[in-house]
Amino acid sequence: MAQGTGKGYVIARAIVTDPVTWAAYGAAATPVMAQHGGRPIVRGGRCEVVEGEARARNAVLEFPSYDDALAYVRSESYGEVRRLRDGAGSIDMIVVEGA
């Protein structure tokens, strides 16, 4: 795995309109994430808006490095899995380097 200066994180905020299809996407994405050294730290769960806009579904995925996180979202395997959620909602996703 690539080595950066800090851990990498994928932060996703989603509006889910088809929970069954979205769940299939999440299940299929999990082994692809693991192949890149990723693990979920936040995946759904309760949330409360304390400032600004929010989405009902939130996820934070941790990777060994920023480069590993980018490799995950840019991988052919994830691209195939990503198509599973087409029409099931909308998502904002960013990759950030940890402190």
Side-chain angles (χ1 to χ4, degrees), residues 2 7-10 36 61 63-76 78 93-97:
K7 290 188 177 192
Y9 298 87
V10 174
H36 291 274
L61 313 176
F63 291 82
S65 73
Y66 178 81
D67 293 336
D68 290 316
L70 278 177
Y72 164 67
V73 298
R74 292 179 175 168
S75 71
E76 185 176 323
Y78 179 70
M93 187 179 294
I94 63 170
V95 175
V96 297
E97 186 172 34

Side-chain angles (χ1 to χ4, degrees), residues 21 82-89:
T21 300
R82 189 166 108 25
R83 286 190 279 283
L84 294 176
R85 72 167 195 253
D86 285 351

Side-chain angles (χ1 to χ4, degrees), residues 32-55:
V32 177
M33 178 190 353
Q35 290 170 358
H36 291 274
R39 68 181 186 94
I41 326 183
V42 173
R43 201 176 220 181
R46 296 187 319 164
C47 73
E48 183 174 328
V49 179
V50 294
E51 209 172 308
E53 295 180 33
R55 301 279 178 96

Side-chain angles (χ1 to χ4, degrees), residues 2-22:
Q3 296 300 313
T5 58
K7 290 188 177 192
Y9 298 87
V10 174
I11 301 172
R13 303 171 344 119
I15 296 172
V16 178
T17 56
D18 179 346
V20 172
T21 300
W22 201 276

